C-alpha cells in the first residue's frame, strides 16, 4: 500500500524569484529537485495562481514552462495597484509576491518527502 500524499506549502518543494515592471509581476517557481517538477506542473497552474492572488485581482495570469530548469515563470497583470508611481500600498514593487505564492498548498507524494526542503510547518 502506498503512503498518502502530503500537503505542504510550495516553499518546501520550490523556491522563487520575483520581478516587476509597471503593473505586472513576474514570479518564477523553481523546483528543489527535478522529480518535484511534474508534481508542481500539475498543481501550480494558471488557475491555481489566479485563485491564490484573487485578493490582488489579476486581470490575466500566464504560465511559461522552463523544463530544463525545473521552473515555471508566472506573469500576473494588474496586481501592483498601478505600479511604483501610482500605488499607495507599501510594496509597490511587488518583490514580496513570491513569498505569497510560495505559501500555496501543494500535494506531494510521500515517496518524494525526502526531496522537500525547509521546516515542516505542521
Amino acid at each position: 500500500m502506498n503512503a498518502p500524499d502530503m500537503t505542504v506549502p510550495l516553499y518546501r518543494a520550490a523556491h522563487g524569484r520575483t520581478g516587476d515592471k509597471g503593473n505586472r509581476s513576474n514570479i518564477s517557481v523553481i523546483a528543489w529537485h527535478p522529480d518535484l517538477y511534474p508534481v508542481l506542473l500539475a498543481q501550480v497552474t494558471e488557475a491555481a495562481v489566479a485563485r491564490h492572488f484573487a485578493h490582488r485581482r489579476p486581470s490575466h495570469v500566464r504560465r511559461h514552462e522552463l523544463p530544463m530548469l525545473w521552473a515555471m515563470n508566472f506573469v500576473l497583470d494588474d496586481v501592483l495597484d498601478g505600479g511604483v508611481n501610482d500605488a499607495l500600498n507599501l510594496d509597490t514593487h511587488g518583490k514580496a509576491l513570491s513569498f505569497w505564492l510560495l505559501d500555496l498548498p501543494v500535494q506531494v507524494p510521500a515517496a518524494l518527502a525526502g526531496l522537500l526542503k525547509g521546516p515542516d510547518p505542521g
Side-chain angles (χ1 to χ4, degrees):
M1 182 172 167
N2 291 337
D5 290 351
M6 307 168 51
T7 300
V8 299
L10 180 57
Y11 69 78
R12 302 240 10 244
H15 57 102
R17 297 271 302 168
T18 307
D20 56 79
K21 190 69 168 177
N23 200 18
R24 176 177 285 161
S25 184
N26 172 344
I27 306 173
S28 295
V29 174
I30 306 106
W32 288 118
H33 190 277
D35 291 345
L36 292 168
Y37 185 63
V39 173
L40 301 182
L41 276 178
Q43 297 177 61
V44 188
T45 63
E46 291 172 346
V49 171
R51 280 190 306 274
H52 197 64
F53 280 90
H55 68 287
R56 302 296 299 230
R57 297 180 306 280
S59 64
H60 194 254
V61 175
R62 285 181 305 282
R63 179 175 83 173
H64 303 277
E65 298 172 13
L66 304 156
M68 298 299 286
L69 300 174
W70 323 324
M72 296 171 268
N73 186 59
F74 290 90
V75 179
L76 291 79
D77 291 327
D78 303 314
V79 294
L80 299 177
D81 297 333
V84 174
N85 295 326
D86 294 333
L88 297 177
N89 69 35
L90 294 176
D91 185 18
T92 58
H93 292 280
K95 299 293 185 195
L97 294 183
S98 64
F99 292 104
W100 177 249
L101 181 55
L102 290 174
D103 200 40
L104 178 77
V106 293
Q107 297 281 319
V108 176
L112 298 179
L115 303 176
L116 298 174
K117 306 288 184 190
D120 182 356

